[in-house]
Amino acid sequence: MLVVQKFGGSSVRDAERVMNVARLVTETYKKGNDVVVVVSAQGDTTDDLIAKAKELNARASKREMDMLMAAGEQISIALLAMAIDSLGCPAISLLGWQAGFETNSTYSAARIKRVNPERIRAELDKRRIVIVAGFQGLNKYDDVTTLGRGGSDTSAVAIAASMHADLCQIYTDVEGVYTADPRKIPGARKLEEITYDEMLEMATSGAQVLNNRSVEMAKKYNVELEVLSSLKWVPGTKVKEVTQVEKMMIKGVAKDDDVARVSIVALPDNPGIAFKVFSRVAKAHICVDNILQSVGRDGTKDIAFTVPAKDAEDAVESLREYCEAKGAASLDYDTNVAKISVIGAGMETHEGVAADMFAALAAANINIQMISSSEIRVSVLVDKKDADKAVEAVHRQFFGE
Ligand code: ADP
Ligand code: ASP
Ligand code: MG
């Protein structure tokens, strides 16, 4: 069997944890499997590197940020190779480009265009354990790129897809995917299975246990994922096309407090205004989520929408000239908000999920600022200070204590 195993930052935090991973990997190898390992930077290394950059230049170029951030994974792959070697198994570490990762040129949020697994294959043929630096690739200018935060998950799925691996295991610091963040909600339950679509909505709604692009890619190439703990060797959660075990209406509750609400007050109430607003935001490559447009009154209307917090300033900048030209009364953003979502394919056939969610929030005296939904998700925007209380209340509503 060809097995891809990915280990996140906390799983390789220090020497002891690296050795733990080395043991886990060699165990898989000794069973006769071909093993490709993808690792992230140790512990908080990526955050620390970003902080170092900010000390020198708050607006450092994304190219240089990628050069800097990619260093974190280079450290982990070498250390893990050394640890595995100390256990008597042959291992070789490869940077993203050596492992054949070709990306586009969007620095800090690069998309994988292709993985050419020739080198990985050649090393596996020599019966080596191959250790690949997650999160990084190379663009057409031969510059190092990174895939965006949490991107190592995507590196693992990309290798599994391009090499038709038999198994893609995402090892982390919790035992699987839960009905809510188990570190925040003690009553959260581990799911045996979850569909790609549900997991994608969970990940996009703030459950960082899997990066959303990795789920998107797993679905596209039909790579079955297993999320499990690197510390406690028990069955985790399977992420796949269809699930059978748990016929639950709701699979989970997620919180995203990395969002901002952009508000425009008093734009002319004419046809084409929303188009002009959102095409400008799209041109700045910013993803918009919840949208609220007020009913026109006295010839004007208000528009509010949410964007990732890091994009708030750029979103406002992209609209400033237009809003001034149209005589809008104000244009600003607020990062004091959080998005709470409930996710589950079962809600497609069960009415009343939104009502139950709103009831729980009302009982907890939490005000809803905006609402959005998809077929399998309902999200609300609330004040940031209410976010944890809101997750707790909504989780209790659907899963009990
Ligand atoms: P890694 O370093 O292994 O990539 P991450 O920190 O990116 O790990 O993701 C794991 C974390 O995701 C967990 O520690 C947990 O706090 C958080 N998390 C948020 N929502 C969920 C959820 N629904 N199920 C499991 N973990 C979750
Ligand atoms: N080290 C990178 C990050 O912290 C990639 C990853 O962990 O997946 O975002
Ligand atoms: Mg992660």
Side-chain angles (χ1 to χ4, degrees), residues 6 8-9 40-43 46-47 69 73 134-135 148-153:
K6 179 259 168 179
S40 302
Q42 291 185 285
T46 311
D47 289 329
M69 288 189 290
E73 272 69 12
F135 180 54
R149 297 308 303 271
S152 296
D153 297 334

Side-chain angles (χ1 to χ4, degrees), residues 147-298:
L147 308 178
R149 297 308 303 271
S152 296
D153 297 334
T154 315
S155 307
V157 175
I159 292 177
S162 71
M163 301 189 74
H164 306 287
D166 299 286
L167 210 56
C168 185
Q169 299 178 310
I170 310 289
Y171 285 90
T172 183
D173 57 356
V174 290
E175 284 174 37
V177 180
Y178 284 70
T179 52
D181 187 339
R183 295 185 186 287
K184 302 265 171 59
I185 304 289
R189 298 189 216 155
K190 182 163 75 177
L191 299 167
E192 236 173 275
E193 298 179 332
I194 185 168
T195 65
Y196 292 125
D197 289 335
E198 289 168 326
M199 191 62 233
L200 187 56
E201 293 276 12
M202 288 270 279
T204 309
S205 304
Q208 90 267 29
V209 61
L210 279 178
N211 173 284
N212 59 353
R213 283 210 187 145
S214 74
V215 184
E216 216 170 65
M217 190 180 286
K219 178 179 162 75
K220 184 167 172 192
Y221 296 102
N222 205 19
V223 176
E224 192 174 306
L225 303 178
E226 187 177 5
V227 179
L228 62 182
S229 163
S230 61
L231 296 167
K232 201 165 162 198
W233 300 7
V234 294
T237 303
K238 294 261 168 65
V239 187
K240 52 206 271 200
E241 187 62 45
V242 243
T243 57
Q244 283 131 19
V245 187
E246 287 142 321
K247 286 257 173 279
M248 294 158 70
M249 178 173 67
I250 300 299
K251 286 289 172 64
V253 184
K255 173 185 87 171
D256 183 359
D257 54 13
D258 238 4
V259 292
R261 185 192 52 221
V262 178
S263 314
I264 315 169
V265 174
L267 277 168
D269 187 18
N270 297 331
I273 294 283
F275 160 66
K276 299 230 168 77
V277 165
F278 291 108
S279 58
R280 278 170 171 75
V281 180
K283 229 187 209 154
H285 302 287
I286 296 169
C287 287
V288 169
D289 186 25
N290 308 44
I291 296 176
L292 193 71
Q293 177 174 304
S294 69
V295 177
R297 201 173 290 143
D298 302 329

Side-chain angles (χ1 to χ4, degrees), residues 128-148:
R128 286 177 171 157
I129 295 170
V130 181
I131 303 160
V132 178
F135 180 54
Q136 53 175 255
L138 202 70
N139 68 15
K140 64 179 177 198
Y141 308 112
D142 282 350
D143 278 342
V144 172
T145 53
T146 67
L147 308 178

Side-chain angles (χ1 to χ4, degrees), residues 282-331:
K283 229 187 209 154
H285 302 287
I286 296 169
C287 287
V288 169
D289 186 25
N290 308 44
I291 296 176
L292 193 71
Q293 177 174 304
S294 69
V295 177
R297 201 173 290 143
D298 302 329
T300 69
K301 64 186 170 194
D302 307 336
I303 292 180
F305 55 92
T306 60
V307 297
K310 68 173 171 47
D311 296 330
E313 251 166 63
D314 290 345
V316 165
E317 273 327 301
S318 74
L319 291 168
R320 192 173 301 285
E321 210 175 294
Y322 179 72
C323 287
E324 272 166 18
K326 290 286 168 191
S330 73
L331 161 70

Side-chain angles (χ1 to χ4, degrees), residues 20-97:
N20 170 63
V21 169
R23 274 188 223 104
L24 210 155
V25 167
T26 49
E27 200 145 301
T28 312
Y29 172 83
K30 282 179 185 161
K31 287 181 187 146
N33 299 303
D34 284 336
V35 188
V36 181
V37 185
V38 175
V39 269
S40 302
Q42 291 185 285
D44 297 328
T45 302
T46 311
D47 289 329
D48 295 345
L49 290 171
I50 293 170
K52 271 187 205 292
K54 292 242 161 85
E55 259 173 40
L56 294 165
N57 183 348
R59 301 191 68 85
S61 85
K62 290 190 168 151
R63 180 196 182 275
E64 299 309 332
M65 285 307 294
D66 280 6
M67 191 61 107
L68 179 70
M69 288 189 290
E73 272 69 12
Q74 178 160 358
I75 295 171
S76 339
I77 55 169
L79 291 176
L80 181 58
M82 294 170 196
I84 292 174
D85 178 61
S86 81
L87 296 178
C89 289
I92 182 166
S93 63
L94 299 176
L95 290 167
W97 66 267

